[in-house]
Amino acid sequence: MSETATKYFKRQPRTDTGVPRVIEAHNIHKAFDGNKILKGLSFNLHKSENLVVLGRSGMGKSVLIKCLVGLIPPDKGELCVLGQNIMALDREEDWMAIRRKVGFLFQGGALYDSMSVRENLEFPLRRQPDPMSKGEMKDAIAEVLEHVGLLEAIHKMPAELSGGMKKRIALARTLVLKPEIVLYDEPTTGLDAITSREISELILHMRETFGVSSVIITHDMPCARITANRIAILNEGRFGAEGTYDELEASGEEWVRSYFE
Ligand SMILES: Nc1ncnc2c1ncn2[C@@H]1O[C@H](COP(=O)(O)OP(=O)(O)OP(=O)(O)O)[C@@H](O)[C@H]1O
Ligand SMILES: [Mg+2]
């Protein structure tokens, strides 16, 4: 990134539409052993926006969101998250500060099996540099469990939960830190249609109620329809098409329409 651009990003995210950009990715490249996965990918995520990412298996969707939280360093490109140039972050505490504001629901979203639901939710809270009091923690956990509709599961162990309940608890564990951005990697995979719909509505609720901005990777088109303000399709290492659900469904390009059939 040029020095001018770095200064600019540090000052404030750009706001050409009046809505701040919480993620700005420009010309991102990533290869593994010469196998090029991301090839000049660019996109922006605006405040309170839900961006759904579609793309065939193996296209690099999970790689992309791992780049956004520093789990995989891009080989090249410019990447700003909440106004910070994350390609230039090298201090662990700077990463921790970003990771506190960016929640990540992993593909698979595993819970710690040996911990109860309450302990699973306490875990991220206890790791904060400025930990909450016991009372605050109790309130935060009750609030987030209520959001995901599972307050009654607070004392259960993960083995006692259904797949859908586990997903909802994993989601609660991501949300308990009140992130400004949430990255969802296939939040509804393996769930029945009704549970998928509930999770999708919860994702929508996070945006509408708390102004959270999200990137949602999914193969589940009903989930995309419920959650997306905008959809981008990852193809050959870049976003090959972008638009609303209705725009892309009516696209003149057959490869784009094929996702909606
Ligand atoms: N840490 C890694 N080391 C080497 N190769 C990797 C690594 N992570 C991902 N890849 C490769 O990058 C490619 C994209 O993987 P990725 O997991 O991002 O796909 P995806 O689009 O999320 O697919 P799916 O829809 O199946 O989840 C794959 O070929 C994968 O093998
Ligand atoms: Mg994936």
Side-chain angles (χ1 to χ4, degrees):
M1 183 178 292
S2 72
E3 203 185 316
T4 330
T6 310
K7 277 185 191 151
Y8 189 59
F9 282 134
K10 273 194 180 146
R11 247 191 355 250
Q12 208 181 21
R14 277 180 268 172
T15 61
D16 50 1
T17 58
V19 183
R21 295 173 180 180
V22 293
I23 296 177
E24 306 188 78
H26 182 65
N27 198 26
I28 301 294
H29 289 256
K30 182 69 199 177
F32 295 102
D33 300 325
N35 181 18
K36 293 181 181 169
I37 306 296
L38 303 178
K39 297 184 256 185
L41 180 140
S42 300
F43 78 101
N44 296 311
L45 178 71
H46 297 90
K47 171 126 186 69
S48 303
E49 181 182 38
N50 278 348
L51 174 70
V52 164
V53 173
L54 303 177
R56 291 204 318 273
S57 196
M59 278 289 167
K61 304 179 299 298
S62 296
V63 168
L64 167 63
I65 60 170
K66 285 177 188 163
C67 286
L68 297 176
V69 284
L71 292 174
I72 291 181
D75 299 330
K76 198 175 110 181
E78 295 167 11
L79 194 46
C80 279
V81 176
L82 296 166
Q84 282 249 21
N85 171 13
I86 64 165
M87 302 282 277
L89 291 187
D90 45 15
R91 296 187 325 157
E92 190 52 30
E93 56 263 45
D94 292 339
W95 272 116
M96 291 294 283
I98 284 284
R99 289 198 186 119
R100 265 198 303 283
K101 296 179 195 163
V102 183
F104 187 2
L105 189 69
F106 285 93
Q107 191 164 6
L111 298 172
Y112 304 110
D113 282 335
S114 59
M115 296 184 192
S116 71
V117 166
R118 181 180 56 78
E119 288 164 338
N120 262 281
L121 295 177
E122 276 177 3
F123 191 76
L125 293 174
R126 285 188 195 282
R127 292 182 64 204
Q128 294 311 297
D130 188 13
M132 292 177 169
S133 70
K134 272 195 168 167
E136 285 168 336
M137 206 144 61
K138 200 168 162 225
D139 291 347
I141 289 171
E143 185 189 338
V144 79
L145 281 177
E146 206 149 348
H147 272 305
V148 300
L150 279 178
L151 190 52
E152 76 279 6
I154 188 162
H155 299 301
K156 288 202 183 334
M157 296 301 288
E160 300 173 82
L161 305 174
S162 71
M165 288 162 96
K166 279 187 197 152
K167 276 258 186 205
R168 282 198 273 171
I169 299 297
L171 182 55
R173 192 178 54 187
T174 304
L175 300 179
V176 76
L177 293 175
K178 299 200 187 306
E180 292 177 42
I181 301 174
V182 184
L183 309 172
Y184 298 93
D185 199 348
E186 304 203 10
T188 61
T189 303
L191 303 180
D192 67 83
I194 295 172
T195 312
S196 294
R197 193 187 170 91
E198 281 171 7
I199 297 272
S200 306
E201 282 169 354
L202 208 55
I203 294 172
L204 183 65
H205 173 76
M206 292 308 297
R207 181 180 85 77
E208 291 176 342
T209 314
F210 302 110
V212 172
S213 319
S214 299
V215 176
I216 304 140
I217 294 176
T218 190
H219 294 283
D220 171 8
M221 295 311 287
C223 170
R225 185 181 254 309
I226 292 170
T227 57
N229 298 108
R230 190 156 59 96
I231 296 180
I233 308 181
L234 186 57
N235 192 42
E236 304 295 341
R238 297 172 185 217
F239 284 137
E242 223 182 290
T244 63
Y245 189 104
D246 292 342
E247 282 164 3
L248 294 188
E249 191 177 28
S251 164
E253 296 182 76
E254 201 190 325
W255 76 271
V256 174
R257 276 201 318 275
S258 69
Y259 282 86
F260 296 79
E261 282 160 1

